[in-house]
Amino acid sequence: MSEQNAEDLVEKLHKAQKEKNKEVEVKILIELGLFHYENEDFSKSKLSFENALKLNPHIPEVNYYIALNSLREDKLEDAKKHLEKELEINPSNSDAKSILEKLKINANIPLVTIFLLILNSIVFYFTYPKISLVETIKYTLSYDTINITNAITSLFFHANLIHFIVNMAILIMFGIILEKHIGSLKFLLIYLVSGVTGNIIQSVAYHNSFVLGASAALFGLLGAIVIINPLLELKIFGILKAPIILVFGGFFAINTLIQNYLSVLNFNLITGDIAHMIGFLCGILIISLFYHEKISVFYNWLLIFLGFFMITYSLENLFIYYNSIGVLFFILQIMLFSIGTIMII
């Protein structure tokens, strides 16, 4: 719209005001508001929309555009107020809903994430390497000491400095994102249930080992993020971008292959794979219970999980038995690999 057209609108507005034609007046005010917004005159744009709103407080889109102007002026609370009003009038406005959700997420303070970071740091500072491994085991989980107290305390002990740093880095990177999105109570529930369940099942699976660390709980958070935003892009080595679901699927596949390779070489290394996997699935399940509209997403990613499992299983067997496999076995593994790939795609 040109300046001349804007002047014509002003003249029409004055005429409508004289004739007391509110319907025409509202329409012209909205057009003027859009004109000023496009020309980045946000104060005039907001004024035009507010005048239109005074004449008809129930007209759709007006509150939405006022909110956009408020955002341009960094008036976040004012923007939230008008977005909420817009959704009362027009619940189908998906743009308003999306912007309001992002504003609410940004406004949340990740208190539980901060608390967990501090608690883990305090425990690590006072225990490593100040107390012996024998003393540490008292607070961890094993097949002989399965109880709720040890299941919880095991989440806050770490084997070494690298173990602690990696886990805390994951907590900071993904904990803040998830807690802001779902709130502190749901976040804490996922963290504790995923961690406790994962560690208990890991200790049952390996009778002669002990379980410690927050990994299962953190994988629960990652599972929840996969459901909330499965296409969230992660930068791998700061260069390659990939959706979070593919990153974790690939991680599980590669990790399983490495572990089996070490077992073939007679390295008796026990990692927390089962705890990680169980924690991850707990996070997926719990978040799906809270967000029913995500249930279909849960089933979709369950199929993708099965796809990665088929790929991992087929590659694992091809790798371990490549010297002695028959033609039929080879074909079976290739079929599993192909089906898994198709399921993921």
Side-chain angles (χ1 to χ4, degrees):
M1 185 188 295
S2 65
E3 290 287 346
Q4 182 60 48
N5 290 335
E7 290 176 5
D8 292 340
L9 281 176
V10 172
E11 289 181 11
K12 290 179 181 178
L13 177 62
H14 291 155
K15 183 178 178 182
Q17 288 172 338
K18 288 179 181 179
E19 295 174 353
K20 295 185 179 179
N21 190 335
K22 288 187 178 181
E23 187 175 343
V24 174
E25 191 177 345
V26 168
K27 185 178 178 181
I28 294 171
L29 284 168
I30 292 174
E31 289 186 45
L32 280 171
L34 289 171
F35 168 76
H36 292 308
Y37 185 81
E38 290 171 359
N39 286 275
E40 299 186 353
D41 193 343
F42 303 119
S43 58
K44 285 185 179 180
S45 175
K46 188 175 181 181
L47 182 61
S48 296
F49 286 124
E50 286 176 341
N51 288 332
L53 201 62
K54 289 176 183 177
L55 296 171
N56 186 353
H58 302 292
I59 192 168
E61 299 293 330
V62 175
N63 277 292
Y64 172 68
Y65 283 113
I66 294 175
L68 292 182
N69 281 288
S70 296
L71 287 174
R72 292 283 189 173
E73 297 172 340
D74 291 326
K75 296 178 180 178
L76 302 185
E77 289 301 319
D78 188 56
K80 284 169 62 177
K81 180 183 70 175
H82 284 287
L83 287 170
E84 288 168 352
K85 286 182 180 178
E86 173 64 27
L87 290 172
E88 288 177 12
I89 298 167
N90 183 19
S92 62
N93 190 328
S94 57
D95 290 334
K97 191 180 295 183
S98 175
I99 294 171
L100 181 60
E101 184 176 334
K102 289 178 181 177
L103 286 175
K104 287 182 176 179
I105 290 171
N106 290 332
N108 293 337
I109 300 174
L111 294 175
V112 173
T113 301
I114 295 170
F115 171 75
L116 290 172
L117 178 63
I118 293 172
L119 183 58
N120 274 282
S121 301
I122 290 173
V123 172
F124 186 77
Y125 177 79
F126 284 105
T127 58
Y128 182 84
K130 295 179 176 63
I131 65 175
S132 65
L133 183 61
V134 175
E135 287 294 318
T136 301
I137 291 174
K138 292 180 182 179
Y139 303 99
T140 61
L141 204 60
S142 68
Y143 184 73
D144 297 324
T145 60
I146 295 179
N147 58 71
I148 191 62
T149 302
N150 281 53
I152 293 174
T153 56
S154 67
L155 299 177
F156 300 97
F157 283 78
H158 291 85
N160 51 54
L161 182 60
I162 294 176
H163 189 204
F164 170 76
I165 290 174
V166 170
N167 277 354
M168 293 306 100
I170 294 173
L171 177 62
I172 293 169
M173 284 189 294
F174 298 105
I176 292 173
I177 294 173
L178 184 63
E179 187 177 354
K180 282 189 170 188
H181 196 103
I182 66 174
S184 298
L185 291 178
K186 292 175 185 174
F187 176 87
L188 183 60
L189 177 67
I190 292 172
Y191 187 92
L192 291 177
V193 172
S194 299
V196 168
T197 306
N199 282 2
I200 287 176
I201 294 179
Q202 174 80 24
S203 63
V204 171
Y206 294 97
H207 289 194
N208 298 322
S209 65
F210 60 94
V211 183
L212 76 166
S215 301
L218 296 172
F219 271 89
L221 303 183
L222 298 174
I225 291 176
V226 164
I227 293 297
I228 293 292
N229 189 0
L231 299 180
L232 176 68
E233 283 192 336
L234 296 180
K235 275 191 174 182
I236 304 172
F237 304 116
I239 303 171
L240 180 64
K241 287 185 177 180
I244 192 170
I245 180 65
L246 295 182
V247 172
F248 292 130
F251 169 81
F252 284 130
I254 293 169
N255 196 49
T256 302
L257 288 172
I258 291 173
Q259 186 170 346
N260 280 282
Y261 175 71
L262 292 174
S263 66
V264 170
L265 297 177
N266 293 321
F267 281 93
N268 294 319
L269 177 66
I270 297 176
T271 58
D273 288 349
I274 292 178
H276 299 165
M277 186 66 74
I278 295 300
F280 192 78
L281 292 177
C282 281
I284 289 175
L285 178 60
I286 295 169
I287 204 68
S288 297
L289 294 175
F290 284 119
Y291 295 88
H292 297 291
E293 71 276 10
K294 301 287 187 180
I295 292 294
S296 60
V297 179
F298 168 72
Y299 290 118
N300 289 340
W301 295 122
L302 183 60
L303 285 176
I304 287 177
F305 162 75
L306 292 174
F308 274 116
F309 178 79
M310 287 183 180
I311 290 174
T312 305
Y313 178 78
S314 61
L315 287 176
E316 172 191 335
N317 282 284
L318 284 171
F319 181 76
I320 294 174
Y321 301 108
Y322 71 96
N323 285 324
S324 59
I325 59 174
V327 175
L328 184 62
F329 185 80
F330 179 80
I331 293 172
L332 174 62
Q333 303 310 316
I334 295 298
M335 286 175 62
L336 283 175
F337 180 84
S338 302
I339 293 170
T341 304
I342 291 169
M343 290 175 71
I344 292 170
I345 295 173

